Amino acid sequence: MIPAPPSNSSPARPAPLVTPDDILDALDPDQREVASSPLGAMCVLAGAGSGKTRAITHRIAYGVTSGAYRPSQVLAVTFTARAAAEMRTRLRALGVAGVQARTFHSAALRQLHYFWPRAVGGAAPEIVAHKGAIVAEAASRLRISTDKAVVRDLSAEIEWAKVGMLTDETYPAAAIRAGREAAGVDPQTMGRLLAQYEATKTGRGVIDFEDVLLLMVGILEESDEIAREVRGQYRHFVVDEYQDVNAVQQRLLDLWVGERKDVCVVGDPAQTIYSFTGASPAHLTNFSMRHPGARIVHLDRNYRSSPQIVDLANRVLRRAGGPARRLVAQGQAGPSPTLTTYADDPAEAAGVAKAVAALVEAGTPAAEIAVLYRTNAQSEVIEDALAEAGVPYLVRGGERFFSRPEVKRAVLLLRGAVRSDDPEVSLPNAVGDVLSSLGWSPEPPAGRGAVREQWESLDALVQLAVDLVTTAPGARMRELVADLDERAAAQHAPTVQGVTLASLHAAKGLEWDVVFLVGASEGLIPIAMAEGVEAVEEERRLLYVGLTRARRELRLSWAQSRSAGGRANRRPSRFLEAAGEVLGDGARAARGGRGASPATSSRRRPRTGARRVTCAGCGTELVSASDRTRGRCADCPPTYDADLFERLRAWRLEVATEAKVPAYAVFTDATLEAIAEHRPADRAALSQIRGVGARKLDLYGAAVLAVLTGEESSPA
């Protein structure tokens, strides 16, 4: 049996008994369907804010309290340590202890350390925290010129290859099919780098983060005895955020489950935003094919956001021809979302900071406000503006809470106070007394700056004690310290009073009362580097995730230029055009319609004398060069042959690699889409495609026609 993790403490008094009926009574009909069927295969398609964590934790609790299974035989898997800690907290509040709630890597690492001596011998290798140094050494051996940015890109590509279970031999073909090219390194060279990286790593006697999963997969595949032992320990599985599963995680899950059917997966295809890392929603959407007879449950009721925010999110997603099911708002009405136009990025940051300061002054807790953006580079100007306005803020992904000096000192003092803990004094008061020596007081210090930030950190620990005695009335200092140790290990920080600054990717899984979403313009949302239909649609889903982080109020904004006095050449995101009725003229400006500001509409106005081209799908006049080449606007679904388009992209990558030029220098995606749609039969017809000039016709015409007929044999 795999040993359970040691516990530093036991509850001071037993948790109140919770009956199976109590668990089901707290759920809506769809959530109840999830919870009341704890056995067998189940796929839960859970929309944003629909209470999926509530549903699956109650499913586990119902299964335990009804006797369907033992808690020690349940493995709940998610993607972040924070989510796993949240799941454990909720299960504890339901009176269920002993369930393993872990990330894929945490569960696999625990098993790897336990089984390595038996499967391989000796202790498991050390895991490198960062692979950059090894990547740089491997690249230098292949005479690949690198700097920090290149090493970062090459590291990300190695991670993509490994989570896809690719080897140096299988990588080039897979990369060509996927249209990938990292840091200007062609697929064949990247394959050699992958082999050199593995050799360098082996020479150092270390493994990387991805190896944890790959090695555990190998052990389970090669040892029937170990596989039987794991399956004997864990008989029931729950997987959260299943749309983010990659190939190696899916393989590991299959090996854990074996021939059993007790697996429940939860996810939302509309929140698939990590495909660039190798994640694929296909595991979620094809679940019933791998598990015939699996129960499919939809959670469409949104309990998080106001009806106005839900309506906007539905409109943005529906425009893409996305899933037919829509979120149904259950909350109280709130203010309509807004879209504000600013002259430039500094003006936008100043305007947002002013609005945030007004909200805080009016009583909205700073911790219930977030400013979200597409790229981390956007945060600097916002940080400056908030600091100027005297508003405390936290950058998600910045210094970790438990690494702060004042928090380290506080935990050390609380640990020392365990022996002298007085049961006659309430836990929050006892914690406050201990932390007063570090500067904590019931009232915050006046002003802002470092002193206030340190007080906020200490106050978060006091509030954590308040939360703990609410869920476990008999908890004392020992239980608090154990909880802090668990949180520190999982980096599950308590709430700190400060406005959260986060990228849209980092905001996934979080929520706030008020959300400011800045930079809602073309080139940022969608990001300029997003090429092709799938990449653009993932950007749309990313915006959808950002919109659905807001509970009560949502304010979007965009700037006409990057810097003060700069050229006003931006326009609002195309994704907001469908929300014109909600956001007003500012959103309709995304298509150059009435109400656009002069700076906005000038970008969309065709040049004088240009031939009028309209979208084949919706009839809208096409202005941008890429849209005119395609013959349709970016918001209309494609009508070309997707398989043919991918073959053309693969051919283009081979040509570009051989010629050592960027892929777009051969043909842009828009031109390839037009070719795939019109399927020209000869050179004359091919020459009529926008983007195919006389020179490119001579260079690539014969090869393109060969791809169209399926007779291609060489790149050019």
Side-chain angles (χ1 to χ4, degrees), residues 20-38 42 51 54-55 58-59 62 295 297 299 301:
D21 288 341
D22 292 335
I23 292 170
L24 297 183
D25 287 344
L27 306 175
D28 71 26
D30 296 327
Q31 295 169 345
R32 181 181 295 216
E33 184 177 356
V34 175
S36 61
S37 305
M42 176 179 287
R54 182 182 185 83
H58 279 66
R59 183 181 194 268
Y62 181 82
R295 179 173 294 196
V297 182
L299 301 183
R301 295 178 175 88

Side-chain angles (χ1 to χ4, degrees), residues 2 75-78 100-115 212-213 216 230 234 237 252 256:
I2 305 171
L75 179 58
V77 188
T78 187
Q100 294 295 299
R102 296 179 173 273
T103 64
F104 268 103
H105 280 87
S106 173
L109 180 61
R110 183 163 167 262
Q111 293 178 12
L112 188 68
H113 280 298
Y114 183 73
F115 289 116
V212 173
L213 302 181
M216 200 59 224
V230 171
Y234 299 120
F237 297 85
L252 182 59
W256 282 341

Side-chain angles (χ1 to χ4, degrees), residues 22 118 160 294 325 540 557 570 578 602 610:
D22 292 335
R118 191 193 318 176
W160 178 82
R325 304 187 71 92
R540 185 190 299 272
S557 60
R570 289 176 177 170
S602 63

Side-chain angles (χ1 to χ4, degrees), residues 340-358 369-373 377-391 393 499 501 516-520 524 555-564 570:
T340 303
T341 304
Y342 292 96
D344 48 61
D345 286 351
E348 181 182 23
V352 168
K354 182 179 179 181
V356 169
I369 303 173
V371 182
L372 307 182
Y373 36 78
Q378 293 171 259
S379 74
E380 183 178 1
V381 65
I382 299 168
E383 291 181 55
D384 290 343
L386 289 173
E388 182 71 22
V391 176
Y393 65 86
V499 175
L501 272 59
F516 290 81
L517 202 159
V518 303
L524 289 172
R555 304 188 191 185
L556 295 90
S557 60
W558 69 287
Q560 294 173 327
S561 68
R562 180 175 182 178
S563 56
R570 289 176 177 170

